[in-house]
Amino acid sequence: MKAQLILENGMVFEGRAFGYLKEAIGEVVFNTGMTGYQEILTDPSYYGQMVVMTYPLVGNYGINLDDMESYKAHVKGFIVREKCDYPNNFRCELTLDGYLKAQKIIGLEGIDTRSLTKVIRDHGTMRGIISVRELTPSQIKLKIDSFVNQHAVSEVTTKEIYEIEGDELHIAMVDFGVKQNIIREFKKRNCKITVFPAFSTSEEILNVNPDAVFLSNGPADPKDLPSVIENIKKMVGVKPITGICLGHQLLCLALGGNTGKLKFGHHGSNHPVKDLISNRVYITSQNHNYHAETLPQGAVVTHRHLNDQTIAGMYAKDLNIYSVQFHPEACPGPTDTEHIFDEMINVMYGKELEVCQEI
């Protein structure tokens, strides 16, 4: 079926719809990963977004039920140059088209995704509509103007507190849209985890007497979560706190720093980051539109994104706070920075990180 992607700047890309054939509106971002589309689709941090894959062929190894990063797909739309209709992999259980149908997500193929990526790169992230019918200019404007993503965290967080057994460190994990591989990484280290909904109060979290608090990844703008920031402030200095992605941004704001929006975000599994703890460069998996723009007083930079020099990690020694902007759990992406979880656990135990001076 013919379909089109209509961007808020008026540009139109003609293609073919697949998956769930119903109009969708979202924020259009591009992902530079060559694989990992299943993990991308099920990453809660993509809630409210339409993902453009820059790699031209998507779906060739199908979908399996073991590699999900959450219980369902969260993207608003999925845009590819060409989808594979006949995947070939011994783990394949569903086609990409079949999975999107089941998840009620529209796909768009047959457009020049490299050209679209250049448009986003040059003009910045934009809202867009994938439509299977002709829309008038007034309809387009009304639909695009009506799209907001301020309540994304409410949609992806757990609704109830739950526990994961372990014999070592007890971590209170605040779920803003946590990926399953973050939980797996802490489980591998035999941590006991109590997972809390995003808007749990500091009193509720501290009442379980955890050894430390972890703030998870999640979607949208951290400044849309003022009540969460206030709760974090109440836990600063009471327990060691670590965080990833949105958790990192929220910590920055809670400590008095500032966050900003990137022109087109970092989305993909090939982002170079310099680690000032080990003084090495790693390739990382990233997925964020916002970043820590100014660090709070008393915090130092631990990681630096080498493409645009943005801050990719911070450490506040006196408060036992350590957080990173990228995704050390990968999924998708390289596992080069998996050691970050060991560093976080050391900070949770009160051990000091030795950070190299920036050159």
Side-chain angles (χ1 to χ4, degrees):
M1 177 184 287
K2 287 184 179 180
Q4 44 182 215
L5 169 67
I6 308 164
L7 298 177
E8 66 176 289
N9 70 350
M11 292 191 71
V12 177
F13 290 82
E14 303 278 350
R16 299 180 300 277
F18 67 99
Y20 188 65
L21 304 180
K22 186 176 179 181
E23 178 182 290
I25 308 164
E27 192 175 42
V28 184
V29 300
F30 63 85
N31 186 292
T32 55
M34 295 174 67
T35 60
Y37 51 85
Q38 175 172 330
E39 291 91 338
I40 290 165
L41 288 168
T42 56
D43 182 348
S45 294
Y46 278 114
Y47 184 90
Q49 295 181 326
M50 295 180 172
V51 180
V52 182
M53 298 299 292
T54 59
Y55 192 73
L57 179 62
V58 179
N60 51 311
Y61 54 85
I63 299 281
N64 69 73
L65 300 179
D66 294 326
D67 292 340
M68 305 293 184
E69 281 304 305
S70 68
Y71 66 99
K72 70 170 189 173
H74 294 279
V75 302
K76 287 290 186 181
F78 196 53
I79 303 166
V80 301
R81 177 71 183 91
E82 179 185 353
K83 78 175 190 305
C84 178
D85 292 317
Y86 303 101
N88 187 2
N89 187 278
F90 73 100
R91 299 177 71 217
C92 175
E93 296 174 272
L94 291 166
T95 65
L96 176 61
D97 182 47
Y99 180 67
L100 292 185
K101 278 187 172 73
Q103 294 291 305
K104 297 187 175 180
I105 293 167
I106 191 167
L108 180 68
E109 69 165 332
I111 72 168
D112 186 342
T113 50
R114 301 294 176 93
S115 175
L116 174 55
T117 297
K118 286 181 178 180
V119 169
I120 298 169
R121 187 189 66 188
D122 294 341
H123 298 278
T125 300
M126 285 179 278
R127 293 166 295 180
I129 305 170
I130 299 177
S131 179
V132 293
R133 64 190 177 96
E134 290 294 327
L135 297 173
T136 66
S138 60
Q139 286 176 317
I140 293 168
K141 186 178 187 308
L142 182 64
K143 288 173 182 292
I144 285 179
D145 289 347
S146 67
F147 174 77
V148 291
N149 204 30
Q150 292 178 326
H151 305 294
V153 168
S154 300
E155 297 296 328
V156 297
T157 185
T158 180
K159 305 305 182 227
E160 296 179 351
I161 299 171
Y162 64 95
E163 282 192 5
I164 297 164
E165 289 304 314
D167 297 322
E168 300 293 334
L169 197 75
H170 181 196
I171 299 171
M173 180 178 288
V174 188
D175 174 14
F176 303 114
V178 68
K179 287 171 63 183
Q180 286 304 299
N181 209 44
I182 291 176
I183 294 175
R184 293 185 202 110
E185 288 294 336
F186 282 120
K187 281 176 66 178
K188 273 167 54 176
R189 291 157 176 81
N190 203 22
C191 296
K192 177 182 176 181
I193 308 167
T194 305
V195 183
F196 288 87
F199 299 96
S200 300
T201 65
S202 56
E203 291 78 14
E204 289 171 325
I205 295 167
L206 295 174
N207 275 347
V208 303
N209 194 27
D211 297 308
V213 176
F214 174 81
L215 308 177
S216 85
N217 64 292
D221 186 345
K223 290 180 179 177
D224 288 336
L225 302 168
S227 64
V228 171
I229 294 166
E230 289 304 312
N231 278 324
I232 295 169
K233 285 180 182 179
K234 295 175 185 176
M235 296 187 285
V236 168
V238 180
K239 297 288 181 180
I241 307 177
T242 61
I244 288 174
C245 202
L246 180 62
H248 163 75
Q249 298 158 20
L250 289 166
L251 265 174
C252 179
L253 291 171
L255 293 174
N258 194 27
T259 59
K261 188 172 185 179
L262 295 164
K263 185 176 181 181
F264 48 80
H266 297 156
H267 309 278
S269 51
N270 46 12
H271 290 262
V273 163
K274 185 171 184 181
D275 184 335
L276 301 175
I277 298 170
S278 64
N279 204 27
R280 294 178 60 184
V281 174
Y282 293 98
I283 301 301
T284 68
S285 181
Q286 302 205 10
N287 176 21
H288 56 274
N289 274 358
Y290 297 85
H291 70 118
E293 200 168 53
T294 309
L295 284 192
Q297 189 173 5
V300 296
V301 176
T302 59
H303 298 80
R304 182 76 69 178
H305 194 298
L306 294 183
N307 285 349
D308 59 11
Q309 300 303 309
T310 51
I311 296 165
M314 71 172 183
Y315 174 49
K317 179 179 70 172
D318 295 340
L319 297 172
N320 285 329
I321 284 175
Y322 178 38
S323 59
V324 294
Q325 182 61 77
F326 53 93
H327 288 268
E329 80 283 358
C331 285
T335 56
D336 299 26
T337 55
E338 196 176 72
H339 64 274
I340 295 289
F341 288 98
D342 298 315
E343 293 173 356
M344 286 184 169
I345 286 173
N346 284 338
V347 170
M348 290 173 176
Y349 276 125
K351 296 178 183 177
E352 185 177 333
L353 294 179
E354 293 186 12
V355 182
C356 298
Q357 186 176 354
E358 283 198 81
I359 299 173

